[in-house]
Amino acid sequence: MIKILLALLLSGLLASGCALVISKSLLEQVNPNISFEDLRKDPRTYVGETVLLAGVIVKTTNTPSGTVLEIYQTEKDREERPINLDQSGGRFLAEYRGFLDPEIYGKGKQVTVAGKVTGEKTMKLGELDYLYPYIKIEEIHLWKEKKPASYYDPYPWYPMGMPWGYWGPWAPYYPIGGW
């Protein structure tokens, strides 16, 4: 009995370890005391710090040195998945050293990124000069779209039995066309 309990406990621990979207070694480097609000106010203060951010891609730009993602930040759930997509603390830029296909990493896709703060960049956002915190991505996770809840009833309610309205032994006779 003890062997079975030990095996279940061990398999539970192993299964929970597989749920990380960012490697454990990188998560250990993340400074949890840096809020996005603080990072947004003065990114230069946090240069060299590792942060973990979640959000939704606004724009993907490929350059000779890599791919730059413009992302609007959102809160994260316990799995580090973006939540409350209609609320944001602002935008940030995240640079990936390789090529990310804009069709895959395109507008509206949810991501979680971990990387080092390298500074800031001011760009136009409409007619506004907007200050973006700039992150060098060390790891990125693209979230699959959640499928909407299915309202399919696997046990449909329909008349069983005779075509003239008999519903079975538990219900009285009721003609389909009504009385």
Side-chain angles (χ1 to χ4, degrees):
M1 182 67 173
I2 293 175
K3 288 181 181 180
I4 293 173
L5 287 174
L6 193 57
L8 287 173
L9 179 64
L10 184 60
S11 65
L13 288 174
L14 290 174
S16 66
C18 297
L20 297 175
V21 297
I22 302 295
S23 69
K24 188 175 181 181
S25 61
L26 187 55
L27 285 175
E28 290 171 354
Q29 297 174 31
V30 170
N31 186 340
N33 300 320
I34 301 174
S35 70
F36 185 75
E37 182 180 331
D38 293 338
L39 179 63
R40 173 98 177 78
K41 284 180 186 171
D42 189 13
R44 287 174 284 158
T45 305
Y46 302 104
V47 169
E49 293 284 346
T50 302
V51 293
L52 179 68
L53 301 171
V56 179
I57 297 173
V58 176
K59 185 178 176 184
T60 303
T61 307
N62 284 301
T63 67
S65 62
T67 303
V68 177
L69 302 174
E70 181 179 340
I71 302 170
Y72 76 81
Q73 178 269 345
T74 65
E75 293 179 34
K76 309 180 290 278
D77 66 8
R78 60 184 170 82
E79 295 178 302
E80 313 302 350
R81 177 187 274 278
I83 57 171
N84 299 330
L85 303 182
D86 57 348
Q87 299 173 4
S88 175
R91 295 182 181 196
F92 64 97
L93 296 174
E95 183 180 1
Y96 184 76
R97 284 175 282 238
F99 173 78
L100 295 176
D101 192 320
E103 288 298 316
I104 297 170
Y105 290 85
K107 184 175 181 162
K109 300 291 179 106
Q110 299 174 24
V111 292
T112 300
V113 298
K116 292 202 181 297
V117 179
T118 58
E120 62 190 26
K121 186 170 185 180
T122 302
M123 295 177 18
K124 288 282 189 191
L125 181 58
E127 295 182 19
L128 175 71
D129 286 332
Y130 192 84
L131 178 70
Y132 291 87
Y134 205 87
I135 313 295
K136 284 272 191 185
I137 297 173
E138 294 185 27
E139 289 185 29
I140 183 169
H141 181 80
L142 178 69
W143 293 93
K144 292 183 180 177
E145 291 183 35
K146 282 188 175 181
K147 294 186 179 180
S150 173
Y151 296 104
Y152 169 72
D153 185 0
Y155 305 104
W157 295 91
Y158 56 88
M160 294 184 280
M162 302 300 201
W164 54 83
Y166 183 72
W167 287 60
W170 58 89
Y173 173 84
Y174 179 76
I176 292 177
W179 297 102

